[in-house]
Amino acid sequence: MKVDFLIIGQGIAGTVLSYTLMQAGQSVLVMDECKPNSASRIAAGVINPVSGRRFTVAWQYDQIYPVAVQVYRELEQLLGVPVFKPRDIYNVLPSEQLKEAFMERTTGLSYMEDPSEEKVSAYGQWLDQPHGAAIVKGASVLLHNLLPAWRNYLK
């Protein structure tokens, strides 16, 4: 059997890579042991543009996120299962210094949102913090749906 690409591992990276290569007309063989405790099978699948104690903005997030949305939506259509879910990510700001750092790094970014009255009332117990809280627009990749559906598709 001759293939253009051999991919070892069908976690999230192997899944998206094999899909993308196939969309480009390449032949792909994916080899995977399918361990239930592998990283992608136990991962939360969270897409968060701002992370870490220093609130680092993810590298090239504004360019990568729209492509990720498109790929995951295409996979949903192809596989017939939900694999992508936009979500709000709440960041509690534990000190004045970290609040200033967060605001400095994120003000004006398209995925930042000031908590609306509706969200404050729904999530007030988390948003009502001594130094405040902020909402970042992120997403979840539903790996528990995506990985087995893609595995079955490849078979």
Side-chain angles (χ1 to χ4, degrees), residues 17 19 22 33 37 44 49 72 135 154:
L17 177 60
Y19 170 75
M22 290 167 71
E33 196 173 328
N37 62 345
Y72 292 126
I135 298 172
L154 290 175

Side-chain angles (χ1 to χ4, degrees), residues 15-91:
T15 295
V16 173
L17 177 60
S18 61
Y19 170 75
T20 304
L21 288 168
M22 290 167 71
Q23 291 302 109
Q26 302 296 311
S27 61
V28 176
L29 175 62
V30 178
M31 304 290 292
D32 184 63
E33 196 173 328
C34 195
K35 293 181 179 178
N37 62 345
S38 64
S40 290
R41 286 175 180 80
I42 62 171
V46 175
I47 298 175
N48 184 354
V50 181
S51 64
R53 186 158 168 81
R54 296 183 187 267
F55 303 116
T56 303
V57 175
W59 178 70
Q60 292 190 343
Y61 184 82
D62 289 328
Q63 292 79 31
I64 294 169
Y65 183 77
V67 174
V69 172
Q70 178 183 342
V71 167
Y72 292 126
R73 293 295 187 208
E74 290 172 5
L75 281 163
E76 285 180 326
Q77 292 297 311
L78 177 66
L79 302 173
V81 297
V83 300
F84 181 81
K85 180 180 180 183
R87 63 182 284 188
D88 291 334
I89 299 172
Y90 297 88
N91 292 276

Side-chain angles (χ1 to χ4, degrees), residues 94-116:
S95 70
E96 194 59 38
Q97 178 185 10
L98 289 176
K99 178 181 181 177
E100 288 173 17
F102 183 88
M103 295 306 171
E104 177 184 307
R105 289 177 176 88
T106 61
T107 297
L109 299 176
S110 62
Y111 40 82
M112 291 303 303
E113 178 181 326
D114 289 326
S116 66

